[in-house]
Amino acid sequence: MSQIFSDADIEEEQKHFSNVIATFQQYAQYSLAANNRRRKDIYTLPQGDKELLDDLGYRQKLQEVDRAILVNAEFLKQIVANPEIFGHDLDSPKDGDDCGALHDHSHGDVHSTHARSHPHHHHSHSHDHANASPDLRTVSKHQRKYKPTDFDMDKLRSTLKQFVRDWSQEGKEERETCYTPMKDALVAHFSDRPSPESRQNIRVLVPGAGLGRLAYDVANLGFACQGNEFSHYMLLASYLILNRTDAIEQYTIYPYIHSFSNLPDRKAMLRPVKIPDVLPSALPAGSNFSLVAGDFEEIYGTEYEEGDFEPQAGQWDAVLTCFFIDTAKNVINYLRIIHRILTPGGVWINIGPLLWHFENNATNDPSIELDLEEVKMLARKIGFVISDERTIDTTYTSNSQSMLGYVYKTAFWTATKV
């Protein structure tokens, strides 16, 4: 559905995008300062304690962390080297600018832009609530004014860990714990299409796509797959990995250097991680894989009106939600949209916890927080038949060598639209 945005809307979006770019660019300065605080703390100690720390090699460890920070910074600079590729001209928006053309993977870059979205809230699944991509021409004036907050930097650090989960060999076990059951259920639902070639007309949507690995894997199975993502951090990062990567393990990052807590040894913090573990451009010829930037409810939830570029109702054969449904302010609307956009007999495959991301928010956003049984009852009332229910224990962007880990007891199910 076409939308016309006010000057204030456009200015808000441009400002948010420029703040995200500034966060990437100021990572080194921020992180080196945080590490230097540890050096300053050494000087508050008695001389004997300083000598003991020197014997332990503590100062040397700080130097190694500095070097790792600079490696991360160079990688992050590559992500935002050309952010103007994201924006359409928001200085003079035209009716219909909210609808971005989808790009087939075999013919060009994966990303496309779509409706604007609203910067309200961040949550621990690293699908940060952010804006769709604005024009870069106003970025520089915001960058000069903006100093990234601890909150901004936490989102950026989460992005680095998300690379491990989605695009490294180290993250394979955690990734496959979630993605493999979903892919298996998808293939099983369309068992009458046993070959990748026979699946090319089966449309699969992955909302909350993050860095795009699940959507990529689905496309690699032969399905026509579209990911949808809301966060600038995720969109900028996934653009690099999907469209500007020429070799396996092309990049090296140090995702665990930002905390010194719960570490059994130095290696647990300082070990490098190489990405990606596969070459994203190596999808089979003719693969249909795209990413759309914007708010899930705005893009897929609008009712059809005459002149709508791409009515969504009944257009999708499958929807895969991984750590996604608890990002809703109103989960009723999420489920209603999923049901409406599926074809009759279409399948919704879900895995995730219920960490309601707007619970106790400071932005006065509404938040409907249901327990698992209520969510399943709601799904049935909306028109789903749920099957293959099970609990899957999994971590999320965790340091596998840490002394502390959180395990989600995620709910998995397959639900068919009736």
Side-chain angles (χ1 to χ4, degrees):
M1 184 185 300
S2 298
Q3 297 184 36
I4 300 176
F5 303 123
S6 69
D7 290 343
D9 290 334
I10 296 168
E11 175 66 17
E12 177 190 16
E13 187 161 330
Q14 290 168 338
K15 182 178 179 181
H16 178 79
F17 184 60
S18 70
N19 292 348
V20 172
I21 299 299
T23 302
F24 276 83
Q25 293 174 334
Q26 296 182 45
Y27 164 83
Q29 177 183 346
Y30 180 98
S31 301
L32 290 170
N35 199 42
N36 198 47
R37 186 272 306 163
R38 298 184 177 97
R39 289 189 179 88
K40 292 179 180 178
D41 290 348
I42 294 174
Y43 290 104
T44 67
L45 301 177
Q47 183 60 34
D49 291 358
K50 295 177 188 176
E51 293 173 358
L52 286 171
L53 288 180
D54 287 341
D55 291 342
L56 296 176
Y58 185 72
R59 294 186 207 236
Q60 179 186 354
K61 180 167 72 172
L62 297 183
Q63 292 174 353
E64 292 177 34
V65 169
D66 280 347
R67 287 191 288 269
I69 287 169
L70 294 177
V71 172
N72 284 347
E74 286 304 309
F75 172 68
L76 295 172
K77 284 180 181 178
Q78 292 183 67
I79 292 176
V80 295
N82 301 108
E84 66 271 13
I85 56 178
F86 275 82
H88 45 251
D89 185 0
L90 293 182
D91 284 345
S92 55
K94 297 178 181 179
D95 190 21
D97 274 354
D98 58 312
C99 293
L102 304 183
H103 301 292
D104 181 85
H105 186 82
S106 61
H107 293 94
D109 292 344
V110 173
H111 283 66
S112 61
T113 57
H114 210 290
R116 76 178 295 276
S117 37
H118 310 284
H120 288 310
H121 190 67
H122 165 67
H123 54 78
S124 61
H125 296 341
S126 299
H127 305 312
D128 316 308
H129 288 256
N131 287 8
S133 304
D135 193 297
L136 187 68
R137 288 179 290 176
T138 60
V139 165
S140 59
K141 70 178 182 179
H142 294 302
Q143 285 179 345
R144 288 194 295 268
K145 299 176 183 177
Y146 191 70
K147 180 180 179 181
T149 65
D150 294 344
F151 183 65
D152 296 324
M153 284 296 168
D154 183 60
K155 289 191 279 188
L156 187 56
R157 292 188 292 262
S158 294
T159 302
L160 287 172
K161 289 188 285 187
Q162 192 75 24
F163 273 113
V164 181
R165 174 180 170 86
D166 262 14
W167 294 104
S168 78
Q169 184 63 34
E170 177 170 324
K172 182 178 181 179
E173 181 178 355
E174 179 184 277
R175 176 173 68 244
E176 291 303 317
T177 298
C178 293
Y179 297 171
T180 295
M182 303 188 81
K183 292 182 290 183
D184 288 348
L186 180 66
V187 169
H189 188 80
F190 297 100
S191 58
D192 59 329
R193 311 283 185 92
S195 68
E197 294 76 19
S198 65
R199 299 168 182 156
Q200 293 180 353
N201 294 323
I202 300 175
R203 301 186 73 208
V204 180
L205 176 65
V206 181
L211 294 185
R213 182 58 180 266
L214 176 58
Y216 169 89
D217 284 353
V218 169
N220 207 28
L221 292 171
F223 297 95
C225 190
Q226 181 176 119
N228 165 234
E229 180 52 49
F230 194 45
S231 162
H232 274 319
Y233 292 90
M234 295 292 116
L235 291 166
L236 288 163
S238 60
Y239 188 89
L240 177 79
I241 207 73
L242 293 171
N243 298 304
R244 295 295 183 262
T245 301
D246 303 316
I248 291 174
E249 297 187 346
Q250 180 174 341
Y251 309 108
T252 300
I253 58 174
Y254 293 85
Y256 305 120
I257 57 173
H258 307 103
S259 173
F260 281 41
S261 297
N262 289 305
L263 297 170
D265 53 36
R266 194 169 300 188
K267 180 183 176 183
M269 177 177 65
L270 284 166
R271 71 186 187 280
V273 175
K274 293 185 177 296
I275 55 173
D277 63 319
V278 297
L279 189 60
S281 61
L283 280 173
S287 297
N288 188 342
F289 174 35
S290 61
L291 287 181
V292 172
D295 178 82
F296 169 71
E297 292 175 285
E298 290 185 4
I299 296 172
Y300 302 96
T302 53
E303 299 282 0
Y304 173 77
E305 288 187 2
E306 185 177 356
D308 194 2
F309 177 75
E310 186 184 12
Q312 301 289 339
Q315 296 299 303
W316 298 94
D317 301 292
V319 176
L320 274 57
T321 53
C322 181
F323 280 69
F324 176 71
I325 63 171
D326 55 2
T327 68
K329 298 175 185 176
N330 178 7
V331 68
I332 301 171
N333 199 40
Y334 266 27
L335 269 57
R336 184 185 295 120
I337 291 169
I338 292 170
H339 187 269
R340 185 168 67 241
I341 66 177
L342 282 169
T343 59
V347 64
W348 167 35
I349 302 167
N350 176 75
I351 188 171
L354 293 177
L355 179 61
W356 298 109
H357 297 161
F358 286 91
E359 184 176 11
N360 301 321
N361 70 83
T363 51
N364 295 318
D365 287 293
S367 180
I368 304 301
E369 300 137 9
L370 305 183
D371 61 42
L372 179 57
E373 285 304 313
E374 289 170 336
V375 170
K376 291 189 290 187
M377 287 174 60
L378 173 64
R380 294 184 181 102
K381 287 181 177 293
I382 285 176
F384 286 105
V385 174
I386 298 176
S387 60
D388 193 18
E389 293 181 61
R390 49 190 149 126
T391 299
I392 297 176
D393 292 350
T394 183
T395 57
Y396 196 96
T397 65
S398 67
N399 182 349
S400 61
Q401 296 184 21
S402 173
M403 298 165 64
L404 174 67
Y406 294 97
V407 176
Y408 290 96
K409 295 184 178 296
T410 62
F412 175 91
W413 63 71
T414 298
T416 305
K417 176 179 177 176
V418 293

